Amino acid sequence: MGKLSQLFKNLVGKWKGLSRNKKIAFGIIISGVIAALIFTGISFGKTKYAVLFSNLDTTDAATVYKQLQSDKVDAKVQGNSILVPKDQVDKIRMQTLSEVQLTNGSQGFELLDKSKFGETDSQMKIDYQRALQGELERTIKSLPQVENARVHLVLPDDTEFVKDTNPGSASVTLKLKTGQQLTQDQTKALVALVSGSVKNVPKQNVEVIDDKLNLLSRDLYSSDGTDTGSSSDSTIPAEKQQDLQKKYEDDMEKRLLAMLEPIYGKDKVKVQVNADLDFDAVQQDSKTYDSKNVVVSEHTINSTNTGGTNNSGTSPVDNNMSNTSVSSSNNGNSTSNEATRNYDVPEVEQKTIKAPGSVKRLTTSVALDGNVDNATKTSIRNLAVSAIGYDATRGDTISVESIPFDTTAQDNAKKDVDAMQKASQQAQRNKYIIAGAILAAVIIASVVGFLIWRRKHAADEEDLFDDDIINPPDIDDIDDNDATKAQNKIKFKPVELDQEENEDTHVENEIKKYAKDKPDQVADVIKAWLAEDER
């Protein structure tokens, strides 16, 4: 206990011996350390939470939160997420899923599990419709582009005599995620899902809209259920035609530029290609016949008659049948042979559908910077012919001209870029100059401060020397510690003496000078010496 008390007293003594600035600095450091320790303790002692469920339907979120409260779980709600202690997330999630059935806002066939006593057929049909709608909603919500979905079904009615007299219909409302959209093929897949899941609901009776009231299923299927986007369609939407045409023209231009720019330099060649594409689908039906006749059937009749008439002949036939009648007589007896042959003429039917998008005509323009001779123009034209697939029979044309380009805009842009670079370099140079000036100012201030401190320290030493001369310490008061201090006392630089002086003469002169300048102090010193001698 005594050591602690002594240590505390020493610390208090050292603290009192510090200057005001040092006390402020140490106070700030100690306060920062204490605040850091307090913050660290609070952080480690605070419960860390993690997400248990997020983006739940409001009904599911309320059910889960109520179950967590009944299980006395430390849970809190933040936005649309439910948070629980981080080290118990997996355990609580498994326990909650075993106790609560999440419906994601849609109830499926579990509705049919809740049997009701005395339920009528009409009520059962309604429950079945709701269950089917809920199952479809769950499936659609699982798609990556869909955030939420609603499905409405109109099921066909059955009668006692004829079932499914009228087809049913369905409508699907989608809320897509931010930045997501459905392509035409994805919309067709969604329509096929609904049509295949519900009895007697054809694809053309399924309507799909998004949350912005855009009809996504527009013109997907005709009234008879035929896919309007199939290869048998004779038309292509105008917007798609323009996109295909622009893509084809850009491809041709890139081919020409890739060939000519390495020769004449970048920005020295300009190319423009205009393509006329045929987007009409043509279907051709043809039928051909094989010249080789194939016998399909042959029928022969042999007959013998007794009579006096002898005749023979051939009956007229068409090209597909040959009938021959042969008769002979012998002593009144007649024999007749008749043969019938049927021939099959093979025929081949061909159906040819010409895909839309063929090239009807190409018009190409090539502009060169500067003056180019005719031989060079001819060479460029030959290169362009092979690059774009020139076909004179289609009426394709290629025009090559040499015209000096106007580079005013490029020159101005280059000047602006050079000016910006110079301004950036000047700003960087100014930063370096300012930093150098600040560094020089700090160095100069440090040197000046050191010189001031040194001069002040030298003045303090001079005053201490004067005090020692005026009030010399008693010999009895000098102990070993004082002797040690005297040895550790700062040594002054040796005094530079004049050539005519020695050390004694210099001391004598300095004493005389001191006595002349400060006679009162010298008188006090002499009085002190006399008093010391009297002792």
Side-chain angles (χ1 to χ4, degrees), residues 294-342:
V294 179
V295 178
V296 178
S297 63
E298 183 176 356
H299 181 64
T300 303
I301 301 175
N302 296 323
S303 62
T304 302
N305 297 324
T306 302
T309 303
N310 297 329
N311 52 27
S312 64
T314 302
S315 64
V317 296
D318 55 12
N319 293 332
N320 194 34
M321 184 175 64
S322 177
N323 297 332
T324 303
S325 177
V326 179
S327 62
S328 62
S329 61
N330 187 8
N331 297 325
N333 295 327
S334 176
T335 303
S336 176
N337 296 326
E338 182 178 352
T340 301
R341 292 184 178 88
N342 294 322

Side-chain angles (χ1 to χ4, degrees), residues 20 33 35 40-41 56 58 64 67 69 92 121 201 211 234 259 270 282 319 322 327 347 405 413 447 453 495:
R20 182 174 177 272
V33 172
T40 303
L56 289 178
T58 54
V64 170
Q67 184 63 38
Q69 286 183 333
I92 296 175
D121 293 341
V201 175
D211 53 340
S234 60
M259 180 178 293
K270 300 297 181 183
V282 179
N319 293 332
S322 177
S327 62
E347 63 178 10
F405 292 172
V447 173
W453 175 82
V495 180

